[in-house]
Amino acid sequence: MPTTISGPNGEIKFGTGLPTLIIGERINPTGRKKFGQQIASGDLSVIKDEAISQKNAGADVLDVNVGAAGVNEVALLPLAVKEALTAGDLPICVDSANVEALKAALAVYPYKALINSVNGEERSLSSVLPIVKHYGAAVIALTIDESGIPETVEGRIRIVERIVERAESYGISKDDIVVDCLTMAASSKPKSALVTLETLRILSKEFGLASAMGVSNVSFGMPQRDIITKGFLGMCIEAGLTAAIVNPETEGLVSTIYSADFLTGRDDYARKFLTHYRTKIAASRNV
Ligand code: THG
């Protein structure tokens, strides 16, 4: 069964065989000092701007993260979610390591949210999973636990099995678990991209689980990062990735997703491709 989340315009479904869900990652202060300072001072216009520009670039969902120095996440995350929701009119992926902030944000979200994230650590399982159940949300499950990110495919799958088992004990359906196989920098761990792809392939094809991943980490430490990120993104989609956490404004990134979906039979009748590029297609006919 596909995973369902919802927003002001109704439900969105994603999963095996369906087009890749594009989760816009730009509402996040990581590495952006000015963004952090602005939201800490209560100026949410930057959230509105990022919501609109990511939607126009092709985002289906907006990730909202306000974790930065000097920010009271419990107070700010709900405001940021409301701002992004109003401006973007898209479902929200509520992103925080602070459980109280997640609760406060979910309390103001009147649809089915995606929560980012739970992991295999006991304190994460026992604090996040009850919230997932209570709010009827879906959740991204990271393949990391007390011992870190396993280097092997088997180690990462064991964490997923543990999370799914615990989730089911809370009455959370498997369809509401979205696994994240975690990407590391290929420049420092040359074989890690292959481990991530292999894990993704097994969880997708054999376990039938939905998946989400931030792909840009793969290119960390390299020049021309976007080239490597886009190549990896195409491979992830072939391996079964169902939701990509990306910057949709990166030149050529959304095209990579549309072409990979088309080539893997995930875009029936190339409908999404033809709709997204209709203006360009019409222009090229008229030359
Ligand atoms: N999995 C899950 N959630 C995630 C990630 C993941 N959330 C966070 C991250 N990875 C995805 N989001 C971002 C947000 C910002 C950046 C990268 C990934 C980023 N920021 C630039 C920097 O740090 O240099 C600044 C960009 C700018 O200034 O324009 O790269 O993997 N579940």
Side-chain angles (χ1 to χ4, degrees), residues 42-59:
D43 177 5
L44 300 186
S45 61
V46 51
I47 292 177
K48 181 182 174 188
D49 295 345
E50 289 290 0
I52 294 167
S53 55
Q54 291 186 103
K55 181 184 179 156
N56 291 337

Side-chain angles (χ1 to χ4, degrees), residues 25-26 28 30-32 95 116 140 142 180 214 216 245:
E25 71 185 11
R26 298 278 298 162
N28 189 323
T30 306
R32 300 170 70 189
D95 186 356
N116 192 1
I140 298 179
L142 309 183
D180 186 331
S216 67
I245 306 172

Side-chain angles (χ1 to χ4, degrees), residues 153-196:
V153 173
E154 297 73 26
R156 293 192 199 183
I157 288 174
R158 267 197 295 275
I159 295 178
V160 171
E161 288 176 323
R162 203 177 329 125
I163 297 174
V164 169
E165 202 174 290
R166 276 296 282 281
E168 287 182 332
S169 81
Y170 285 98
I172 299 164
S173 152
K174 252 177 91 172
D175 304 333
D176 289 328
I177 309 288
V178 181
V179 297
D180 186 331
C181 300
L182 296 173
T183 312
M184 281 171 290
S187 58
S188 66
K189 287 211 181 273
K191 290 283 189 322
S192 71
L194 286 175
V195 172
T196 297

Side-chain angles (χ1 to χ4, degrees), residues 113 118 137 157 180 195 200 243 247 258 263:
V118 68
I157 288 174
D180 186 331
V195 172
L200 195 49
N247 176 0
Y258 282 108
L263 292 170

Side-chain angles (χ1 to χ4, degrees), residues 8 32 42 56 80 143 151 171 182 185 189 196 203 205 213 229 232 243 269 274 279:
R32 300 170 70 189
N56 291 337
T143 52
E151 291 202 6
L182 296 173
K189 287 211 181 273
T196 297
L203 291 172
K205 308 278 191 282
M213 211 160 67
T229 298
F232 184 59
Y269 305 101
L274 295 172
T279 317

Side-chain angles (χ1 to χ4, degrees), residues 40-195:
S41 76
D43 177 5
L44 300 186
S45 61
V46 51
I47 292 177
K48 181 182 174 188
D49 295 345
E50 289 290 0
I52 294 167
S53 55
Q54 291 186 103
K55 181 184 179 156
N56 291 337
D60 300 306
V61 172
L62 299 172
D63 186 271
V64 177
N65 182 315
V66 295
V71 166
N72 174 354
E73 275 195 74
V74 181
L76 195 57
L77 193 59
L79 299 178
V81 163
K82 281 201 261 186
E83 186 71 17
L85 194 58
T86 309
D89 231 20
L90 293 173
I92 301 292
C93 175
V94 187
D95 186 356
S96 178
N98 180 329
V99 175
E100 293 309 313
L102 287 177
K103 273 192 212 167
L106 290 163
V108 302
Y109 190 76
Y111 313 103
K112 181 173 177 182
L114 182 58
I115 297 176
N116 192 1
S117 54
V118 68
N119 63 59
E121 290 183 59
E122 182 51 38
R123 66 183 160 137
S124 173
L125 294 167
S126 59
S127 61
V128 178
L129 292 177
I131 299 176
V132 175
K133 177 64 183 171
H134 183 264
Y135 288 98
V139 66
I140 298 179
L142 309 183
T143 52
I144 183 170
D145 66 10
E146 286 86 352
S147 315
I149 304 173
E151 291 202 6
T152 63
V153 173
E154 297 73 26
R156 293 192 199 183
I157 288 174
R158 267 197 295 275
I159 295 178
V160 171
E161 288 176 323
R162 203 177 329 125
I163 297 174
V164 169
E165 202 174 290
R166 276 296 282 281
E168 287 182 332
S169 81
Y170 285 98
I172 299 164
S173 152
K174 252 177 91 172
D175 304 333
D176 289 328
I177 309 288
V178 181
V179 297
D180 186 331
C181 300
L182 296 173
T183 312
M184 281 171 290
S187 58
S188 66
K189 287 211 181 273
K191 290 283 189 322
S192 71
L194 286 175
V195 172

